[in-house]
Amino acid sequence: MSSMAKVYAILVRKGEKTIDQVPEKLMAEVQQILN
């Protein structure tokens, strides 16, 4: 699991970013963290 995916997951949880703003290459990893 990449550290960038973790950062994006945290930002999505905080509401600072939406899942649609996550780069395509990290999307699956971030989705996994959030689930």
Side-chain angles (χ1 to χ4, degrees):
M1 203 156 297
S2 72
S3 56
M4 279 309 295
K6 291 178 188 172
V7 169
Y8 272 104
I10 290 167
L11 292 173
V12 171
R13 280 199 180 120
K14 286 182 173 181
E16 294 176 26
K17 291 232 177 264
T18 67
I19 195 69
D20 294 328
Q21 292 173 306
V22 176
E24 189 66 38
K25 62 183 181 180
L26 294 174
M27 185 80 70
E29 262 187 281
V30 173
Q31 198 65 54
Q32 238 180 349
I33 295 168
L34 294 173
N35 293 339

